[in-house]
Amino acid sequence: QKEVEQDPGPLSVPEGAIVSLNCTYSNSAFQYFMWYRQYSRKGPELLMYTYSSGNKEDGRFTAQVDKSSKYISLFIRDSQPSDSATYLCAMSYNFNKFYFGSGTKLNVKP
Amino acid sequence: NAGVTQTPKFRVLKTGQSMTLLCAQDMNHEYMYWYRQDPGMGLRLIHYSVGEGTTAKGEVPDGYNVSRLKKQNFLLGLESAAPSQTSVYFCASTKIRTDMNTEAFFGQGTRLTVV
């Protein structure tokens, strides 16, 4: 069993839609949760990070962590074509290693 | 400020050939990582380093070696390339964690094909 599971998609939505991206994990020791965005043929770049459970909001993006269910989510409001990318969740418990999901490909249609 | 730079960006190898991928960072980061990214598999950690002169194995270390002789450089070597090592390789670096900022900075990737 993979430590981090993520639906690969692709997910196609119209511009302006609310997007929900999710990951589940098996290691209860994970404390730090991150979302990375990766444009085609580029390296991943950090979008948001959260510590332990709860919500964090940054502009159109909201990250949620539910440690009791071992489930994290990223919501994108008012999605834009420029949001079209692959979104990777990542987790860590000691900063030495990051465990990544396989990524969900998102396409926002104009 | 270039961040994390990987060379080369593309390479085609024949089975059995060897090569070295170079990662250089100019952010004075302590930690450096090598990942491979394959369709449906996400990013898998090959090797990592927590400081100059130290390296450790990740999830998929077989067939690879690494060296961190200088703090700013992290080299990934393929001793005898195999088609299963066809992948996109990413280098990343992070500073020592003293707060919640857990950002790993990634290079642009090296696309390697082994035929």
Side-chain angles (χ1 to χ4, degrees):
Chain A
Q1 182 188 5
K2 287 184 183 177
E3 298 230 41
V4 182
E5 297 280 358
Q6 186 175 7
D7 188 332
L11 184 61
S12 187
V13 301
E15 183 175 354
I18 296 175
V19 176
S20 173
L21 304 166
N22 311 294
C23 288
T24 59
Y25 62 95
S26 56
N27 190 341
S28 58
F30 288 139
Q31 299 184 74
Y32 306 95
F33 304 91
M34 293 142 277
W35 285 96
Y36 281 80
R37 179 173 59 196
Q38 186 177 21
Y39 291 113
S40 181
R41 294 183 174 267
K42 300 289 186 183
E45 54 184 356
L46 183 67
L47 197 58
M48 293 187 72
Y49 66 87
T50 54
Y51 171 70
S52 194
S53 286
N55 293 2
K56 184 174 183 179
E57 188 172 321
D58 184 2
R60 296 184 295 111
F61 299 90
T62 300
Q64 285 186 352
V65 175
D66 182 348
K67 291 193 74 178
S68 61
S69 301
K70 298 191 181 68
Y71 189 88
I72 71 170
S73 301
L74 177 71
F75 298 96
I76 307 174
R77 291 183 298 280
D78 187 24
S79 56
Q80 303 294 310
S82 59
D83 294 328
S84 298
T86 297
Y87 290 80
L88 299 142
C89 62
M91 308 175 189
S92 179
Y93 54 84
N94 65 359
F95 296 126
N96 279 358
K97 298 181 185 180
F98 296 81
Y99 295 83
F100 285 85
S102 56
T104 299
K105 189 170 184 179
L106 172 66
N107 180 33
V108 181
K109 299 174 290 185
Chain B
N1 189 345
V4 179
T5 303
Q6 292 182 231
T7 52
K9 291 185 170 48
F10 304 93
R11 185 73 186 268
V12 178
L13 282 181
K14 292 183 179 178
T15 298
Q17 285 185 318
S18 62
M19 78 163 293
T20 299
L21 282 68
L22 171 64
C23 177
Q25 53 93 5
D26 60 3
M27 297 171 283
N28 201 34
H29 283 171
E30 291 292 334
Y31 296 2
M32 296 187 75
Y33 312 81
W34 275 107
Y35 289 91
R36 59 178 290 174
Q37 188 174 36
D38 303 291
M41 302 294 290
L43 286 159
R44 291 183 292 170
L45 183 64
I46 304 171
H47 286 279
Y48 66 100
S49 168
V50 299
E52 183 179 324
T54 69
T55 63
K57 294 180 180 180
E59 297 175 70
V60 288
D62 294 343
Y64 305 96
N65 57 73
V66 288
S67 64
R68 184 100 181 266
L69 299 179
K70 294 183 179 180
K71 185 178 182 180
Q72 63 269 33
N73 295 338
F74 195 28
L75 278 63
L76 177 70
L78 281 71
E79 298 153 345
S80 178
S84 61
Q85 294 178 304
T86 294
S87 187
V88 181
Y89 291 85
F90 285 100
C91 176
S93 72
T94 65
K95 62 183 181 181
I96 292 177
R97 293 292 163 245
T98 58
D99 54 36
M100 278 178 54
N101 184 359
T102 59
E103 182 168 7
F105 291 85
F106 284 83
Q108 294 281 65
T110 296
R111 293 183 175 273
L112 175 66
T113 302
V114 183
V115 297

